[in-house]
């Protein structure tokens, strides 16, 4: 064979390959490398892949937790006082908070929470409510509120 027909041992080809769920059905697993990577091949185009097991596991858990986000549970009633500005924000955005799984009402300047996503039960609920309404006031519509995203990511790791 001529020099141009084979790769020199020092040459490395690197490419970015996006895996989709449909791609996964066409993967052939060859084995495990160093208990860290799953080595596989794809058939169209033929590609050798090394998948980081830790990253893949985190991704699967993250997607699973995102599906759990709407899983709201009633909690023992939690009541607290906030500063006047934040309390007005809670009143203004109470209906939107319920779309995140946080049921909140304000009576006589006191904030009452009766349900939260199961994922947030271990969080400081007062801080969660403040973060949600401040985040909403900044009109970051269409994205997962950062307080929810942070809780999901923390649990996935």
């Amino acid at each position: 064979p001529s020099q141009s027909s084979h790769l020199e041992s020092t040459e490395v080809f690197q490419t970015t390959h996006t895996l989709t769920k449909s791609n996964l059905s066409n993967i052939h697993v060859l084995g495990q490398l160093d208990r860290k990577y799953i080595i596989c091949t794809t058939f169209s185009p033929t590609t050798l892949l090394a998948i980081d097991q830790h990253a893949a596991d985190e991704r699967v858990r993250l997607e699973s937790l995102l599906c759990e986000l709407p899983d709201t549970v009633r909690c023992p009633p939690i009541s607290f006082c906030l500063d006047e500005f934040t309390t007005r924000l809670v009143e203004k955005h109470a209906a939107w908070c319920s779309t995140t799984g946080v049921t909140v009402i304000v009576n006589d300047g006191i904030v009452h929470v009766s349900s939260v996503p199961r994922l947030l039960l271990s969080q400081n609920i007062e801080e969660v409510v403040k973060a949600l309404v401040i985040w909403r006031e900044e009109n970051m519509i269409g994205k997962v509120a950062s307080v929810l995203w942070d809780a999901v990511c923390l649990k996935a790791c």
Side-chain angles (χ1 to χ4, degrees), residues 8-47:
E8 294 293 326
S9 62
T10 58
E11 290 184 72
V12 175
F13 286 91
Q14 185 174 4
T15 185
T16 302
H17 189 82
T18 303
L19 290 177
T20 63
K21 288 183 182 182
S22 62
N23 293 130
L24 292 176
S25 64
N26 296 320
I27 285 181
H28 176 70
V29 176
L30 300 175
Q32 185 181 42
L33 176 66
D34 198 26
R35 300 184 64 149
K36 296 176 188 166
Y37 300 97
I38 302 167
I39 307 302
C40 346
T41 60
T42 63
F43 301 109
S44 178
T46 302
T47 307

Side-chain angles (χ1 to χ4, degrees), residues 12 14 19 36 42 54-55 63 67 75 89 95 116 131 145-146 155:
V12 175
Q14 185 174 4
L19 290 177
K36 296 176 188 166
T42 63
H54 179 73
E63 289 182 9
C67 290
C75 58
L89 289 181
V116 296
S146 60
K155 193 149 184 148

Side-chain angles (χ1 to χ4, degrees), residues 65-120:
L65 289 169
L66 285 173
C67 290
E68 289 178 21
L69 209 47
D71 182 21
T72 300
V73 295
R74 295 193 65 73
C75 58
I78 301 166
S79 300
F80 48 87
C81 293
L82 298 171
D83 62 84
E84 188 177 332
F85 174 76
T86 310
T87 301
R88 276 187 273 140
L89 289 181
V90 172
E91 286 177 308
K92 179 180 177 182
H93 299 300
W96 176 81
C97 285
S98 69
T99 67
T100 70
V102 177
T103 305
V104 59
I105 59 169
V106 178
N107 284 328
D108 298 323
I110 299 173
V111 177
H112 303 278
V113 178
S114 59
S115 66
V116 296
R118 184 179 309 279
L119 186 65
L120 297 178

